[in-house]
Amino acid sequence: MKFRAIMGALCAAGLMCGVSAVQAAESIEVLHWWTSGGESKAVGVLKDDMTKEGYTWKDFAVAGGAGAAAMTALKTQVISGNAPSAAQIKGPLIQEWAAQGVLVPIDASAGDWKKNLPPEIDKIMHADGHYVAAPFSVHRVNWLYINKAALDKAGGKAPTTWPEFFALADKMKAAGIQPIAMGGQPWQDLTLWEDVVLSQGSDFYKKALVDLDQKTLTSDKMLNVFDTVRKIQGYFDAGRTGRDWNLATAMVINGKAGMQFMGDWAKGEFANAGKKSGVDYVCAAVPGTEKSYTFNVDSFVFFQQKGQKSATPGQLALAKTIMSPAFQEQFSLYKGSIPVRLGVSMDKFDDCAKKSYADEQVAIKSGGYVPSLAHGMAQPDAAAGAISDVVTKFMNSQEDSKTAVAALAKAAKTK
Ligand code: BGC
């Protein structure tokens, strides 16, 4: 055991928390947005691991799904010279922060990462040839969660096409069940919308949301996407304005609603409530997306501390712990995701996670593995934000699909 670890252990045991122990422990301030029941449990594993290693965890949690509020808080911190030790940042935003010259490389902790990460994800963790981010797990975004009792009551099976979906939603309605639980924030609107884009095929998704191809964005298929979203909205409940995603998940958990479109962090909520897949709820790919997989990989980046251009021992330890096999397993078991590190055993995972893993392998081989726009993986912040505005405006007004498509094509040109 290292000196720091010994002092930390003594302190945790209430034995010797004197000046020397306090001075020995590096304090690591960590900014994240994992505040729901399942999320807190998952990040708690990291906090415990780091505490055991002798570091002091300073939690900087900013509530708000998908992290919009957390990102605003982070900018304020960095501008005022109070950058946290680490922050939850993902996708192209990693490179955007690196370009500001405020991150530190963590190569020293990443010796075995290259051979243990899928190449497309390994690439995202880099800036200027150095590792600057540590990945946690892979979330699949294109899921539909269904309350099992509601499904049985409606006499249905998980829908694989939109006509089947609408038939099931009608049956739930007829059985007195609220068909869809939906939250009311722009990122949740965008999550549903990208699901529907994906249902038109992963090639269509890539051309539209990765390449931002104007012809695809203005196609009849895109009109159909907006029409389908409008139709789905007909099954929402009245109280969605401002509702957080986990409260919508709770409606499905408690049987107050039949279904929710959400990434598999929702599964963390089911697990936290003691619910079992196949018994209490069913996870299915969004209709029409069985062979595709919108990936969302959470990661931490590490900020320069007191002007130092290299990582502190605490930052390096944090990066190393995040990618350790034991942490990868336990974090995902609570979080609803699957480990991003290759070769971690899936034995302890439930059917939904095993399906996620199997579907991921199929999608990678078939070209159906695509980055989620709604979760910051597909586009730089500015373009993603402009598209999000278009979708949210459409979903919160009576705008027609044609007007929305024109606005979308314009938004996609945002640099
Ligand atoms: C993050 C997840 C998080 C979810 C809801 C997503 O963007 O990747 O880790 O659970 O937002 O906050």
Side-chain angles (χ1 to χ4, degrees), residues 340-391:
V340 66
R341 187 183 175 103
L342 300 171
V344 175
S345 163
M346 292 298 293
D347 287 354
K348 288 195 195 151
F349 286 84
D350 64 14
D351 293 352
C352 295
K354 285 185 177 133
K355 178 173 165 51
S356 177
Y357 182 77
D359 289 355
E360 184 190 32
Q361 301 314 308
V362 172
I364 288 173
K365 283 196 192 97
S366 68
Y369 197 56
V370 294
S372 165
L373 175 78
H375 295 279
M377 303 302 294
Q379 292 296 335
D381 221 21
I387 295 172
S388 175
D389 288 348
V390 170
V391 171

Side-chain angles (χ1 to χ4, degrees), residues 33-34 39 64-67 88 90 139 187 245 265 296 298 335 375:
W33 67 87
W34 288 325
E39 291 175 333
Q88 189 184 345
K90 55 185 164 165
H139 276 300
W187 72 271
W245 67 273
W265 45 93
N296 169 24
D298 282 305
K335 190 69 168 57
H375 295 279

Side-chain angles (χ1 to χ4, degrees), residues 43-392:
V43 74
V45 179
L46 189 57
K47 179 185 172 195
D48 289 350
D49 283 357
M50 292 307 292
T51 310
K52 272 185 220 141
E53 286 184 50
Y55 295 97
T56 302
W57 178 277
K58 249 178 104 188
D59 203 54
F60 189 169
V62 184
M71 293 303 96
T72 307
L74 178 62
K75 280 178 204 153
T76 312
Q77 289 297 104
V78 177
I79 289 167
S80 61
N82 293 312
S85 316
Q88 189 184 345
I89 299 277
K90 55 185 164 165
L93 209 49
I94 296 173
Q95 282 77 37
E96 288 182 38
W97 273 107
Q100 300 299 314
V102 289
L103 302 186
V104 287
I106 46 150
D107 303 291
S109 297
D112 67 349
W113 289 14
K114 200 168 194 67
K115 63 172 195 291
N116 287 309
L117 284 174
E120 54 274 76
I121 291 169
D122 186 69
K123 200 172 141 209
I124 301 171
M125 301 304 127
H126 280 86
D128 300 324
H130 295 280
Y131 280 103
V132 291
F136 282 80
S137 63
V138 183
H139 276 300
R140 185 188 200 180
V141 179
N142 56 313
W143 287 112
L144 177 68
Y145 288 93
I146 314 174
N147 177 292
K148 182 72 165 58
L151 185 64
D152 293 344
K153 197 166 170 202
K157 62 174 189 52
T160 57
T161 63
W162 289 118
E164 280 177 22
F165 171 83
F166 290 121
L168 176 64
D170 284 335
K171 280 192 203 146
M172 284 187 177
K173 214 168 165 183
I177 303 161
Q178 170 60 49
I180 303 177
M182 179 72 183
Q185 287 140 2
W187 72 271
Q188 298 191 62
D189 294 345
L190 197 63
T191 298
L192 170 62
W193 180 82
E194 85 172 20
D195 280 343
V196 181
V197 173
L198 187 67
S199 73
Q200 307 292 310
S202 52
D203 282 345
F204 177 79
Y205 181 100
K206 269 189 263 180
K207 275 193 210 138
L209 304 188
V210 180
D211 303 342
L212 301 178
D213 172 55
Q214 284 288 320
K215 231 173 112 192
T216 310
L217 290 168
T218 53
S219 63
D220 285 350
K221 265 192 174 177
M222 192 54 88
L223 272 177
N224 188 22
V225 166
F226 282 98
D227 288 347
T228 305
V229 168
R230 185 64 90 218
K231 191 162 173 199
I232 295 170
Q233 286 191 266
Y235 297 87
F236 289 177
D237 68 301
R240 85 174 186 106
T241 309
R243 180 188 287 147
D244 287 325
W245 67 273
N246 52 322
L247 299 183
T249 308
M251 291 170 71
V252 180
I253 292 175
N254 301 329
K256 293 215 164 65
M259 304 182 268
Q260 184 188 19
F261 292 94
M262 192 46 64
D264 44 22
W265 45 93
K267 196 162 67 72
E269 301 305 296
F270 282 96
N272 196 36
K275 303 293 180 188
K276 300 252 171 309
S277 72
V279 178
D280 304 303
Y281 69 98
V282 170
C283 56
V286 166
T289 71
E290 181 66 36
K291 294 204 159 47
S292 308
Y293 195 111
T294 23
F295 65 84
N296 169 24
V297 176
D298 282 305
S299 45
F300 272 4
V301 298
F302 305 85
F303 284 89
Q304 286 172 15
Q305 300 293 293
K306 303 191 186 106
Q308 295 293 321
K309 297 250 184 268
S310 52
T312 65
Q315 289 174 318
L316 289 175
L318 185 58
K320 202 163 181 184
T321 303
I322 291 170
M323 261 295 276
S324 70
F327 172 77
Q328 287 270 317
E329 180 186 55
Q330 193 54 54
F331 178 83
S332 272
L333 282 169
Y334 287 149
K335 190 69 168 57
S337 45
I338 57 174
V340 66
R341 187 183 175 103
L342 300 171
V344 175
S345 163
M346 292 298 293
D347 287 354
K348 288 195 195 151
F349 286 84
D350 64 14
D351 293 352
C352 295
K354 285 185 177 133
K355 178 173 165 51
S356 177
Y357 182 77
D359 289 355
E360 184 190 32
Q361 301 314 308
V362 172
I364 288 173
K365 283 196 192 97
S366 68
Y369 197 56
V370 294
S372 165
L373 175 78
H375 295 279
M377 303 302 294
Q379 292 296 335
D381 221 21
I387 295 172
S388 175
D389 288 348
V390 170
V391 171
T392 268

